[in-house]
Amino acid sequence: MSIEIAIPTYNRSLTINDKTLKLLDKFNKTQIKLYVEDLDQFEEYKKTCPEYDIIVTQTEGIIEKRNYIMTNTNAKYLLMLDDDIINIKNIDGDNIKSDQLKDLILNGFKTAEDNNARLWGINGYSNNYFFKEGYSTNLKFIIGCFMGIIINDNKPILIPEDLSVLEDYYLSIKYFQDDKKVIRFNHFGITQKYFTGIGGLQSYYSKDERVAEQNRCITYIHQRFPKYCSIIKKKDCLDFRLNHRAKP
């Protein structure tokens, strides 16, 4: 099985080895590609990650990077990971090891393929109290920091340029609409500290700008897919709720 592990990354050359790459230490390094946006970033990552293939996308922002990765990969099986993953937990609350992660990834692509689905993932939270055994095929949120995509006939679903955030909600809904299912392993979850430290999404937006972009993108996605999601109005922002009972 030809799998590419693609890591879009920005300004985290000093921390990526202690986070996501540490989880992948049992993997063949030729499978792992780091996607950076310019030559300055390339030089920084080359100093700290010399054993890895570093690709310059000449794009700015996560949406553009994801679309670049999906259209330029040569692999049929593409796993996109964020650059700041701390660990993956199982249903017992234990951090899984690299060889167990490898089994999860292989099983994820096999299960998706067996179910004629192209998108799969795991829980976007680490509290195992909410984990459940097995996998689901109904509409569930597939978080972008751990997202497996099967590229069939080199025709992945691309993210609209109108979006700047919440692209994983868009892809979760669109793949479910097209394939009639998405695969989520509900007995695994991810530990990640969002919007903290250097680099990452917060490098592009301030907190207020991020909230404004989130509100705008939630409205955009809901207008596109009112059958599959609803908007929740909170005190300072909007939020999403997927319709898990929705039919394709």
Side-chain angles (χ1 to χ4, degrees):
M1 183 178 286
S2 173
I3 299 173
E4 176 185 326
I5 300 174
I7 306 175
T9 182
Y10 179 73
N11 204 24
R12 284 179 169 158
S13 60
L14 298 178
T15 59
I16 191 171
N17 279 298
D18 293 326
K19 293 187 177 178
T20 303
L21 291 180
K22 187 175 181 179
L23 299 177
L24 302 172
D25 63 354
K26 299 296 184 185
F27 287 74
N28 189 326
K29 287 182 172 56
T30 60
Q31 290 181 270
I32 302 168
K33 299 183 187 299
L34 309 183
Y35 288 83
V36 302
E37 67 179 44
D38 56 35
L39 290 175
D40 288 339
Q41 287 285 297
F42 175 87
E43 293 300 330
E44 291 301 315
Y45 279 87
K46 206 64 182 174
K47 295 174 187 175
T48 59
C49 308
E51 298 174 301
Y52 295 94
D53 191 3
I54 304 170
I55 298 171
V56 178
T57 64
Q58 297 291 357
T59 60
E60 183 174 318
I62 189 60
I63 306 300
E64 292 79 6
K65 278 194 184 73
R66 291 200 192 282
N67 281 341
Y68 180 95
I69 291 168
M70 290 187 289
T71 53
N72 287 278
T73 182
N74 293 318
K76 179 179 179 181
Y77 306 100
L78 174 68
L79 180 69
M80 282 193 280
L81 301 180
D82 275 9
D83 57 7
D84 59 346
I85 298 173
I86 299 171
N87 53 55
I88 308 294
K89 289 188 178 294
N90 61 22
I91 198 167
D92 297 320
D94 299 323
N95 298 333
I96 67 173
K97 297 179 180 179
S98 187
D99 55 346
Q100 295 170 312
L101 177 58
K102 184 179 291 188
D103 290 340
L104 169 61
I105 293 170
L106 291 172
N107 189 35
F109 283 113
K110 182 179 185 304
T111 302
E113 204 159 44
D114 289 346
N115 282 275
N116 295 315
R118 288 178 289 167
L119 182 69
W120 74 274
I122 62 176
N123 287 306
Y125 46 84
S126 60
N127 188 343
N128 64 305
Y129 177 82
F130 299 101
F131 292 2
K132 296 180 180 179
E133 284 287 359
Y135 66 87
S136 55
T137 61
N138 61 322
L139 177 58
K140 291 282 179 67
F141 175 50
I142 306 299
I143 193 165
C145 61
F146 191 109
M147 177 178 283
I149 301 174
I150 299 177
I151 309 291
N152 285 334
D153 301 321
N154 295 318
K155 294 179 180 179
I157 293 173
L158 298 182
I159 304 158
E161 294 181 358
D162 293 319
L163 291 178
S164 59
V165 293
L166 303 178
E167 74 285 353
D168 39 10
Y169 275 97
Y170 176 88
L171 291 175
S172 298
I173 296 171
K174 190 70 174 94
Y175 271 106
F176 179 77
Q177 183 185 57
D178 288 8
D179 295 348
K180 301 180 173 52
K181 60 192 72 172
V182 293
I183 305 297
R184 195 174 80 176
F185 288 87
N186 297 309
H187 52 305
F188 291 98
I190 196 161
T191 302
Q192 185 181 28
K193 292 184 177 179
Y194 300 100
F195 308 125
T196 60
I198 61 170
L201 185 61
Q202 66 269 21
S203 300
Y204 297 103
Y205 299 108
S206 68
K207 181 179 179 180
D208 289 343
E209 290 171 335
R210 193 165 67 240
V211 170
E213 283 301 295
Q214 176 176 308
N215 291 345
R216 183 185 67 79
C217 292
I218 284 175
T219 302
Y220 173 88
I221 295 172
H222 182 257
Q223 288 174 344
R224 289 281 303 269
F225 305 108
K227 171 182 174 181
Y228 298 107
C229 61
S230 57
I231 294 177
I232 302 170
K233 294 183 179 179
K234 295 186 174 181
K235 182 179 179 180
D236 300 318
C237 64
L238 301 178
D239 204 353
F240 248 153
R241 178 176 293 160
L242 295 183
N243 180 5
H244 300 309
R245 298 183 178 179
K247 303 296 182 184

